[in-house]
Amino acid sequence: MKRTALVRKAPRARPKPHKDPVTPELWLYVIARDGGCIGPRMGMERKCFGRLELDHLYNGGVGKRGPSTARNLSTLCGQHHYTKTVEARRWRPVINDYLERMEGESPW
């Protein structure tokens, strides 16, 4: 019988929970407010494709999410989320105006 050396592996580091998570109540509110992907209503090219995602309009820096508030969250499909990310300078002001208008009309 051949003996092999035991190799100790360091325990995997667990990801730290986000300090400002999207609560289930906030998630439901944003989904109800937007009624699906807002990309076509903003005039974004291409048809909706991919699953529906909540997108933080403004981030807290490279690789960090911004505040999880209704004013900073919108509902986009994968295709339009990618478009907004790649062309942020073009689409952020348009989505920002939409969110400002929607929050002003909100019954909640």
Side-chain angles (χ1 to χ4, degrees):
M1 175 193 271
K2 185 177 176 181
R3 290 187 173 192
T4 58
L6 290 176
V7 179
R8 286 193 93 159
K9 293 184 179 182
R12 286 180 140 183
R14 292 184 181 158
K16 293 180 182 177
H18 194 271
K19 292 180 183 176
D20 191 14
V22 177
T23 63
E25 295 82 13
L26 180 58
W27 183 83
L28 287 172
Y29 168 75
V30 173
I31 295 289
R33 178 196 68 196
D34 293 349
C37 179
I38 64 169
R41 284 177 261 159
M42 304 294 105
M44 290 183 171
E45 300 85 17
R46 301 187 183 139
K47 292 184 179 182
C48 288
F49 179 76
R51 66 187 180 106
L52 210 53
E53 304 169 358
L54 280 188
D55 173 48
H56 286 80
L57 186 60
Y58 294 100
N59 294 321
V62 177
K64 296 180 182 176
R65 290 192 327 197
S68 295
T69 62
R71 186 68 183 76
N72 194 39
L73 290 168
S74 63
T75 310
L76 295 168
C77 68
Q79 176 68 46
H80 291 124
H81 188 172
Y82 176 78
T83 301
K84 190 239 46 172
T85 302
V86 171
E87 300 175 28
R89 288 183 184 206
R90 176 181 177 192
W91 292 111
R92 264 197 194 129
V94 175
I95 295 173
N96 194 31
D97 289 344
Y98 166 80
L99 292 175
E100 202 170 276
R101 195 170 59 249
M102 292 304 288
E103 286 300 307
E105 298 172 5
S106 174
W108 287 284

